[in-house]
Amino acid sequence: MDVFRINGGRPLRGEVTVSGAKNACLPIFAATLLTGETCVIENVPDLSDLRFMAEIIENLGAEVERPDKNTWRITAKNITHRAPYDLVRRMRASVCLLGPLVARLKKAEVSLPGGCVIGPRPIDLHLKGLAKLNCEVDVRAGYVHIDAKRARGGHVFLGGRHGSTVTGTANILMAAVLTPGVTRIESAACEPEVVDLCKMLLSMGAKIEGVGSHCLTIEGVDKLNGTTYRVIDDRIEAGTYLIAAAMLDADITVNGAHPEDLSALLDKLEEAGADFSIELGGRIRMRGTPGTLNPVDVITLPHPGFPTDLQAQMCTLMSVTPGLSIITERVYPNRFMHVPELQRMGADIAIEGASAIVKGRRNPLSGAPVMASDLRASAALILAAMAAHGETWVQRIYHLDRGYENFDEKLRGLGADVERLNQDQMPKDLSGES
Ligand code: EPZ
């Protein structure tokens, strides 16, 4: 297992380029199952989650090739309808295979995904949506069994206790594009990644209206064609660099930072007094001076609200911003796993229900051995280590490698002192691994 050794306090200078969006690629990979023709997907980040999704798709019978590191060619000519537990349990997002299998084969058997550290990750809304398309949904022995022989277009309301569902919207969308009749999805998620999936489906010949809104109308067609599609840049990766620069001695430009996908973050950074400028062609320049921002309150919400995937990074930013800020997580029940590790570095944060009360101070953090617990918590800890005095070891970097391509390399390119080492190179007295 890999660890990061980071020495804090280094200024950031120069340019960094964002990779393709993991959360757009995952449903887009699944969408290649909707046709027997070849789909070429470009700008795909080299991440473990995507290599794994490709493995599952190949296991279903598709022909999968990788002409280069960031391009995949998938031809799902003959596929089976069953996605086994030993594969699905390792990545929740594989649940979005349900929609394409139902659409293409009129049946599906997909293992129920496990939960993860940020919450139970239910799929009741996915199943409700499929039932509204007149599918027979049967959950037994840990698998979802769908019989879609009599499926037809229907009216689906996808709002849940936490608002819309991103992969739930993707699933129903992908089921509907080949289901006879017209389907309306109300309270659909409209994250940029969902918009990207819609655009890819449209390029395959799907009929979808309302793209980018909370109401999608789909008219089922008989078949879809292959396509060549370039995935959007990763707004969460872009936001992570912008937050890092806002809290450090920094002057960087982020290539692939599209302001229209980052409105909620930019609004909060502006309120905090961050010094950034938007340039043409999806580039944002950020200058930072440590400890000079104003504290802000953040509430995470479905898009266009503040993205939950940037909540942990904001906890780090507010920890080093003098004053009191309240960061409230409305999307997941338990997404503060980064807080205890930030506290070990000196952050003053108290969890009160769904909120983190952050008492920020100037330069409060000092290096320490910390443990990553999930993808975005890893990023938050690395940002904290870059702001801290001294040396930090971040363990279980495999969480980070799920969602950030070459993160250490890109940070070193900006001047950060980040080194990727093997776990056994870590001083034994510092390692928390048994
Ligand atoms: C997607 O997860 C992203 N993952 C998550 O990113 C992201 O945090 C999340 O959307 C919210 O933006 C991918 O796209 C692969 P949801 P998803 O269904 O679709 C509840 C990252 O760090 N819910 O929108 O699984 C659910 O429990 C990851 O990149 C139900 O109650 O999220 C959660 O509280 C983490 N019933 C909330 O809704 C359902 O049927 C949002 O879930 C479905 C969801």
Side-chain angles (χ1 to χ4, degrees):
M1 283 199 292
D2 287 355
V3 297
F4 277 6
R5 186 201 52 70
I6 300 166
N7 265 315
R10 300 294 188 281
L12 299 187
R13 294 289 183 277
E15 292 199 6
V16 63
T17 298
V18 163
S19 299
K22 164 183 82 88
N23 289 350
C25 288
L26 286 165
I28 281 175
F29 270 32
T32 63
L33 298 174
L34 290 165
T35 176
E37 298 180 10
T38 298
C39 294
V40 177
I41 314 298
E42 299 172 336
N43 195 34
V44 177
D46 181 19
L47 297 173
S48 52
D49 267 14
L50 293 168
R51 293 193 294 274
F52 183 59
M53 185 60 133
E55 184 187 336
I56 297 178
I57 287 173
E58 194 164 33
N59 180 278
L60 290 171
E63 191 184 305
V64 177
E65 300 162 284
R66 194 176 182 188
D68 68 52
K69 186 164 75 81
N70 300 113
T71 305
W72 292 77
R73 186 184 297 125
I74 299 173
T75 309
K77 204 182 285 297
N78 305 300
I79 54 172
T80 63
H81 68 284
R82 182 181 167 89
Y85 173 67
D86 62 327
L87 289 175
V88 170
R89 68 180 175 80
R90 284 157 51 188
M91 184 178 65
R92 179 193 183 307
S94 45
V95 70
C96 60
L97 293 165
L98 264 179
L101 292 175
V102 161
R104 180 86 185 281
L105 302 178
K106 307 305 175 199
K107 61 181 177 181
E109 268 182 42
V110 176
S111 163
L112 283 169
C116 66
V117 288
I118 62 177
R121 313 298 294 274
I123 61 166
D124 55 302
L125 295 172
H126 300 234
L127 302 183
K128 170 188 170 188
L130 291 171
K132 290 286 185 184
L133 296 185
N134 203 38
C135 296
E136 288 177 32
V137 178
D138 179 18
V139 178
R140 64 176 187 276
Y143 276 76
V144 179
H145 300 262
I146 309 282
D147 176 345
K149 282 195 288 297
R150 282 176 293 284
R152 61 175 186 278
H155 176 221
V156 183
F157 180 78
L158 276 185
R161 18 209 296 281
H162 297 277
S164 315
T165 162
V166 171
T167 44
T169 301
N171 251 335
I172 305 312
L173 183 57
M174 292 189 283
V177 293
L178 288 178
T179 295
V182 175
T183 296
R184 271 168 64 75
I185 305 175
E186 306 265 6
S187 189
C190 60
E191 271 70 0
E193 295 76 24
V194 174
V195 171
D196 213 29
L197 172 64
C198 288
K199 289 179 179 173
M200 186 252 194
L201 293 171
L202 288 168
S203 78
M204 296 169 75
K207 291 182 179 172
I208 307 168
E209 287 180 357
V211 174
S213 79
H214 286 298
C215 181
L216 295 172
T217 305
I218 302 107
E219 184 181 345
V221 295
D222 294 337
K223 80 181 280 292
L224 292 174
N225 315 310
T227 186
T228 295
Y229 192 77
R230 180 180 176 77
V231 170
I232 51 168
D233 299 322
D234 192 319
R235 63 191 169 108
I236 303 302
E237 182 188 357
T240 302
Y241 298 127
L242 292 172
I243 292 170
M247 58 188 254
L248 296 169
D249 168 0
D251 183 354
I252 72 168
T253 297
V254 182
N255 297 327
H258 302 280
E260 65 275 15
D261 293 341
L262 288 161
S263 308
L265 173 66
L266 296 177
D267 176 57
K268 276 298 161 190
L269 290 175
E270 185 177 16
E271 183 187 333
D275 176 11
F276 63 90
S277 52
I278 292 168
E279 300 174 2
L280 287 177
R283 293 158 53 89
I284 298 178
R285 183 175 180 183
M286 174 71 78
R287 298 177 189 81
T289 307
T292 58
L293 296 181
N294 316 311
V296 294
D297 294 341
V298 173
I299 299 177
T300 69
L301 288 169
H303 194 76
F306 192 93
T308 174
D309 294 349
L310 288 173
Q311 178 260 104
Q313 298 91 317
M314 281 304 283
C315 281
T316 299
L317 175 62
M318 289 296 111
S319 298
V320 299
T321 298
L324 190 68
S325 75
I326 301 174
I327 297 179
T328 302
E329 175 57 61
R330 286 271 180 262
V331 177
Y332 287 106
N334 175 34
R335 200 172 194 173
F336 288 121
M337 307 294 283
H338 45 284
V339 168
E341 297 302 295
L342 290 173
Q343 288 166 333
R344 296 185 60 240
M345 297 178 72
D348 184 348
I349 305 175
I351 299 297
E352 287 293 331
S355 296
I357 318 293
V358 185
K359 290 181 188 158
R361 301 191 318 277
R362 194 178 167 79
N363 293 331
L365 304 180
S366 51
V370 292
M371 200 79 83
S373 55
D374 60 272
L375 169 53
R376 307 303 173 182
S378 318
L381 296 176
I382 291 162
L383 265 52
M386 289 159 64
H389 303 284
E391 182 176 81
T392 297
W393 292 80
V394 184
Q395 300 173 78
R396 299 185 183 172
I397 286 300
Y398 59 83
H399 289 295
L400 183 86
D401 291 337
R402 292 187 49 212
Y404 288 89
E405 183 182 37
N406 303 328
F407 199 51
D408 50 317
E409 207 176 296
K410 291 186 182 184
L411 292 175
R412 277 196 299 275
L414 291 172
D417 179 353
V418 181
E419 194 180 4
R420 179 185 288 260
L421 299 168
N422 187 285
Q423 177 77 40
D424 58 24
Q425 292 174 277
M426 187 174 173
K428 290 289 172 281
D429 62 320
L430 292 183
S431 168
E433 298 293 2
S434 50

